[in-house]
Amino acid sequence: MKPSPASAPLALWLDPEKPLSPEHSQALHASGWALMPVHTLDSLVSHAADAAVVVLHLSVDVTRLKAVQQLLQEAGLNTPVVARVERQELELAVEASQAGALAVLAACDARSASWMRLHSLLNPNAARTSAQPTRNVVFVDPASQHLLALAQKVALAEVTALLVGPTGSGKEVLARVLHEASGRARGPFVALNCAAMPENLIEDMLFGHDKGAFTGAHRDQKGLFEQAQGGTLFLDEIGEMPMHLQSKLLRVLQERQLTRLGGQSTIQLNVRIVAATNKDLKKAIAEREFREDLYYRIATFRMRLLPLAERPGDIIPLAIQCLLQHDKKPWQLHPQAQALLLQYPWPGNVRELENVMRRAIVLCTDHVVTPAHLMFDDWLTASAAALVPVTWSAALDVVPQETPSATHMEQFMAAAKDNLGLQEPDTTDKAGSLPTDLQSSVRLNEHQVIMATLASTPSKTEAAKRLGISPRTLRYKMAQLREHGLAMAAAC
């Protein structure tokens, strides 16, 4: 075995099934690890005090991982464990991550880069005493793994980062990865959704105020910048920030200091800024809705998150993670349910996937999720619409003949029928069940106009604006529509 430098951190290698391969040995040495194979738990515990990490192969379940963790704990050690699982064992990989593994690698992965990344996940000199928790995140798809590797590099540099991606794609999760992989991990992580707060409150929340600054200011109040001192401030939906606040934010970012509302003293700042948006900020700049100088200040490093449908390798692990977060007992996804999850277009991204799995938890009683337990928002809406005989064009003339979301849904429904034997709602012989009173007819037409508008707009916010109602009212009416669709589907 090639000798390792004395300063290299030690990795204990335990694999009861297979001996250490030359490829793995070479990869660990090349990535800066000293390697010691062990063959029993007693041998592992006797050398664990000198080790920075334990590399453990899992074959059936996480029992072996929990046994090693228990032995290390009884020995008074907090040595982290890296789990190796077969590439096809996605459920086991998620369970290992949930059980506290520092990282989960494919058992066949002998790339030096994979083992090099472990250095950024732990400080070898403090591995036995650090109490910093490791965040469980899912980056299984190759595109997601590339993004994670990039995020870990960006985290180590003191630069601002702009995260761009559709709603529900996991921008805040990535922001927390940037925080927890940086030197500011022990500092606070403070988040603000710029679109969720009234315009007249955002300034006070960001910059704080001194006592007497305005009526009702009975005491000094620190803003979010001050609360995030030594850590990270995450500004979500920054594209929705009012223009007059953008100029003040730019000044604070440039000078690294602020003055509270009504205050006189200057407060020095030590805060890292991570911003996120689902808007095209270049287009917003052209339309004079966003400051160009602020854009270049926050976009020192721009990172793009793909929609969930474009990273299919993450879908099943994320689904299993959602199940395990609710109940630690082993869950199974039926192969047909997995096929259905992979074929669905996921317009709501990870957030919609979480909702679908929560519904499955409610419906499933035996911890085996089948297609019957999966309820998709757009599928239910399409099913409800199919029961109403009025045409789309009659309800709303501006609806195009074909939209991207409609095309995706047609492909999904066709695949579902071909692969799983699912059927579309039977709309024949429904005329006799149509409502005859005026109130019910108005309600059905209102629901149809809402669905047509949703199909022709890129977001629910835009749909609410076109309908002339608030987003909250739209959500309420959509909830009514889903309940109505479920009831009608159940009656068929």
Side-chain angles (χ1 to χ4, degrees):
M1 184 178 296
K2 184 179 178 179
S4 301
S7 59
L10 177 63
L12 298 181
W13 183 279
L14 177 59
D15 187 345
E17 281 79 26
K18 298 178 182 179
L20 175 64
S21 69
E23 293 80 10
H24 280 101
S25 178
Q26 183 179 358
L28 267 79
H29 283 92
S31 56
W33 290 95
L35 185 60
M36 176 184 290
V38 293
H39 305 288
T40 64
L41 292 179
D42 291 339
S43 179
L44 184 147
V45 173
S46 64
H47 293 93
D50 299 321
V53 68
V54 173
V55 181
L56 179 67
H57 181 253
L58 303 180
S59 56
V60 179
D61 53 30
V62 295
T63 303
R64 186 180 298 162
L65 172 61
K66 293 182 177 179
V68 169
Q69 291 173 328
Q70 181 67 26
L71 288 173
L72 292 173
Q73 183 178 0
E74 292 175 355
L77 300 173
N78 193 26
T79 309
V81 180
V82 173
R84 297 172 57 243
V85 302
E86 300 303 324
R87 192 176 294 276
Q88 68 272 15
E89 296 288 346
L90 292 178
E91 295 184 22
L92 181 56
V94 174
E95 289 181 28
S97 180
Q98 290 287 335
L102 175 69
V104 180
L105 300 178
C108 59
D109 191 349
R111 297 173 298 170
S112 298
S114 300
W115 298 99
M116 184 74 73
R117 283 197 290 268
L118 294 180
H119 290 292
S120 62
L121 295 180
L122 82 164
N123 178 358
N125 295 325
R128 295 182 297 275
T129 59
S130 174
Q132 185 68 22
T134 301
R135 184 174 181 81
N136 290 321
V137 293
V138 173
F139 290 90
V140 176
D141 191 87
S144 298
Q145 290 182 347
H146 175 75
L147 182 64
L148 177 61
L150 179 63
Q152 290 171 340
K153 292 181 180 180
V154 174
L156 300 177
E158 281 293 322
V159 296
T160 57
L162 176 63
L163 313 182
V164 180
T167 299
S169 58
K171 294 187 288 293
E172 184 169 350
V173 172
L174 185 60
R176 289 186 179 273
V177 170
L178 287 171
H179 171 71
E180 294 173 4
S182 71
R184 298 177 177 271
R186 294 188 178 276
F189 178 89
V190 180
L192 172 68
N193 189 323
C194 300
M197 299 302 300
E199 182 176 334
N200 59 336
L201 291 182
I202 295 180
E203 184 175 6
D204 182 39
M205 290 194 65
L206 279 175
F207 308 116
H209 63 258
D210 278 355
K211 181 179 179 181
F214 49 83
T215 303
H218 301 302
R219 58 184 179 86
D220 293 346
Q221 177 64 47
K222 290 183 178 181
L224 297 183
F225 270 101
E226 289 183 75
Q227 295 177 32
Q229 286 279 35
T232 303
L233 177 60
F234 175 55
L235 300 177
D236 197 7
E237 304 296 353
I238 195 170
E240 306 298 331
M241 179 175 284
M243 285 291 288
H244 74 279
L245 285 182
Q246 292 180 26
S247 59
K248 188 165 185 177
L249 175 62
L250 175 64
R251 183 180 181 88
V252 170
L253 295 181
Q254 288 175 336
E255 300 181 357
R256 312 297 294 179
Q257 61 184 22
L258 63 78
T259 302
R260 293 179 186 171
L261 298 177
Q264 301 295 327
S265 59
T266 299
I267 301 171
Q268 299 297 321
L269 295 176
N270 176 24
V271 178
R272 181 182 190 172
I273 303 297
V274 177
T277 183
N278 60 1
K279 293 180 64 174
D280 184 349
L281 292 186
K282 290 293 186 69
K283 181 179 178 182
I285 292 171
E287 296 175 352
R288 299 184 181 277
E289 295 178 354
F290 199 82
R291 293 181 62 107
E292 185 175 16
D293 47 5
L294 177 59
Y295 171 80
Y296 287 110
R297 177 63 63 174
I298 62 175
T300 305
F301 214 103
R302 186 175 180 271
M303 306 175 69
R304 180 173 179 264
L305 287 85
L306 295 175
L308 182 59
E310 295 181 21
R311 41 190 173 105
D314 290 342
I315 294 176
I316 302 304
L318 281 170
I320 297 174
Q321 184 184 62
C322 292
L323 295 172
L324 293 175
Q325 285 175 345
H326 172 78
D327 189 342
K328 298 301 181 182
K329 295 180 180 179
W331 283 84
Q332 294 183 20
L333 276 174
H334 192 278
Q336 289 184 343
Q338 294 188 31
L340 200 56
L341 291 172
L342 291 172
Q343 290 162 349
Y344 186 68
W346 298 112
N349 295 295
V350 180
R351 194 169 295 138
E352 183 180 5
L353 174 61
E354 291 174 346
N355 289 340
V356 170
M357 299 318 297
R358 289 192 183 103
R359 295 178 192 137
I361 290 170
V362 173
L363 298 174
C364 183
T365 58
D366 57 0
H367 288 75
V368 178
V369 178
T370 68
H373 301 135
L374 300 179
M375 299 166 56
F376 302 91
D377 287 347
D378 283 356
W379 194 359
L380 293 175
T381 304
S383 300
L387 294 172
V388 184
V390 185
T391 63
W392 287 106
S393 57
L396 193 67
D397 293 336
V398 300
V399 179
Q401 292 298 315
E402 182 177 288
T403 64
S405 60
T407 303
H408 282 307
M409 186 53 60
E410 291 171 0
Q411 295 172 351
F412 168 71
M413 290 297 291
K417 288 188 291 180
D418 292 341
N419 297 338
L420 306 178
L422 300 175
Q423 301 294 325
E424 290 181 324
D426 183 11
T427 59
T428 60
D429 298 329
K430 297 294 180 183
S433 62
L434 290 177
T436 55
D437 62 288
L438 181 61
Q439 183 177 2
S440 298
S441 299
V442 169
R443 184 171 61 251
L444 283 175
N445 285 328
E446 177 186 67
H447 286 166
Q448 189 171 7
V449 171
I450 289 174
M451 290 187 291
T453 307
L454 287 169
S456 64
T457 51
S459 66
K460 293 183 178 67
T461 302
E462 182 65 25
K465 184 177 180 180
R466 179 177 293 184
L467 290 168
I469 59 179
S470 69
R472 182 176 181 180
T473 301
L474 178 58
R475 288 195 298 270
Y476 172 74
K477 290 183 178 296
M478 288 176 63
Q480 284 186 318
L481 175 59
R482 289 173 190 137
E483 292 175 3
H484 184 60
L486 281 172
M488 297 179 74
C492 293

